[in-house]
Amino acid sequence: MKATTPEPRILGSVDLPSVRESVSRARSEVREWLGVDHPMVDDIVLATSELVTNSIKHSDSSAGDFIGLTLSATMEIVYVEVNDPGSIFLGPHVRKEPDAEDGRGLLIVGEISLEWGTREHGRGLGRTVWCAIRATPPPDDPSTPEPVSE
């Protein structure tokens, strides 16, 4: 019999106005839901900030629309999900232009996440961009030597 993974528990969910100031509120909400002593709070807040920013900047949302933010977790993984109206253009992607002045949000999310992705809900129904981050820091690499103090 195959072991099942537990269903993630929702830690918090909020609808945010699709305005720049909502990014700060999203960070605050996540800190409150996790608690400031959570071992991965900084990475999770950073990923949230990047996903909400991208949603506001790159979806077809306007100031009267809302962006949904949901944080859920198992014992091993914290999931950040951002729902927006989607876009008629290409979906979220990592920019590959080395000289671009912006557009590094998903690159950052990819670096701090175990994985990230999108779910398109159908024409006019929006999209969810999500990422999965370890709930605890990865174990130290035993092959890395300890720093030597002088």
Side-chain angles (χ1 to χ4, degrees), residues 1-71:
M1 178 169 18
K2 186 176 179 182
T4 60
T5 57
E7 194 67 27
R9 173 175 62 95
I10 295 178
L11 302 177
S13 186
V14 66
D15 288 328
L16 303 164
S18 184
V19 294
R20 185 180 51 194
E21 295 79 15
S22 289
V23 177
S24 174
R25 179 165 172 219
R27 289 190 297 259
S28 296
E29 294 284 356
V30 168
R31 284 189 190 285
E32 183 176 320
W33 297 334
L34 285 174
V36 294
D37 58 341
H38 188 281
M40 297 300 287
V41 69
D42 291 337
D43 283 356
I44 296 164
V45 167
L46 176 59
T48 299
S49 182
E50 296 298 338
L51 293 181
V52 170
T53 298
N54 282 353
S55 180
I56 292 168
K57 286 178 68 173
H58 301 296
S59 75
D60 288 340
S61 65
S62 62
D65 292 328
F66 287 88
I67 304 297
L69 168 64
T70 302
L71 194 72

